[in-house]
Amino acid sequence: MIKVLVTDGMEADGIRILQENEIEAISKKGLTLEQVTEELASGEYHALVVRGSTKLPAEVLAQAKNLEVIGRQGSGVDTIDVEAASKYGIYVMNTPGSNRHGVKEMVFAALYHVMNRPDQLHDLTVNSGKSIKEIKKGKMFSRQDLYGKEMGIIGLGYIGFVVADLAQAHGMSIFGFDLSHEAKEKAKEEGIIVVEEISDLFAHDIVSIHVPFNEKTRNLIQKQHLDSLKKGAILINDSRAGIVDEQLVYETLLQRIDRPFYFVTD
């Protein structure tokens, strides 16, 4: 029987599907790097299923015996040394787009929070003892609508398109950037205004980043992009952290005390 090691957990339906296909799934969460190495070196497993928590550098893969495939629950494979895996004859497979609705919801949860600022409203009501109606009447608090805002989306893949779809449902105008000709054509069909340069997106109210992390996208967002953001703009990075240099964002915000923007990341 084929045996699969699952190190970062798996939904019950996933385990059931494996079992129905006569595949034994063994779940061991919270393993250290050394423990993962020992498990793979045992030769007991034909496959490994991971999420983002399990790191698989070359030195771990070099010790793996009988391992034929690594399945990534999600799209990002930056935690796996894919080149080393290929060297040792191990296939690496991912599931792009499988988390698209979860990411979409995180994007809009962030937008709802920034536009409505429930944290500020809570502090004002608790500290002043006034009702929300009194606070709004006294102009102590203001909120904004997403309707009519302009959103720029970097990366028109599975996630970028579902984010655009929900944004359009909110009455927002969508601008998008992608290197793929196919993605550009699909975007035009769906009413997205396609731009040729990333920098063209930073004049809008919201910029949301949805690209894979690799050497080409490392520190993709540069100082000139941040400087182009208008006062009160929202920059969202729900991709990998390395795509945006967070220290650069911090330094830029310190230089823009009179023109702050919001930076949201997970």
Side-chain angles (χ1 to χ4, degrees), residues 11-73:
E11 294 292 334
D13 284 346
I15 298 291
R16 177 182 53 78
I17 291 170
L18 291 175
Q19 291 173 341
E20 288 175 353
N21 288 273
E22 298 185 351
I23 298 173
E24 182 182 0
I26 299 172
S27 180
K28 295 186 178 184
K29 296 176 66 175
L31 297 179
T32 65
L33 191 66
E34 292 74 17
Q35 289 171 327
V36 171
T37 304
E38 290 174 5
E39 292 288 345
L40 297 181
S42 70
E44 185 178 352
Y45 305 102
H46 304 91
L48 171 66
V49 177
V50 301
R51 284 182 172 152
S53 297
T54 298
K55 312 297 188 243
L56 297 170
E59 56 268 26
V60 172
L61 298 174
Q63 301 297 317
K65 295 179 182 178
N66 298 326
L67 189 66
E68 298 178 19
V69 61
I70 298 168
R72 167 69 164 93
Q73 298 183 82

Side-chain angles (χ1 to χ4, degrees), residues 3 68-69 107 109 123 128-129 136 145 166 212 214 227 256:
K3 296 183 72 172
E68 298 178 19
V69 61
V107 168
D123 289 342
S128 69
K136 288 183 177 179
D145 291 329
L166 186 53
N214 52 47
D227 288 340
R256 290 183 43 152

Side-chain angles (χ1 to χ4, degrees), residues 25 55 129 193 251:
K55 312 297 188 243
I193 300 170
E251 293 171 358

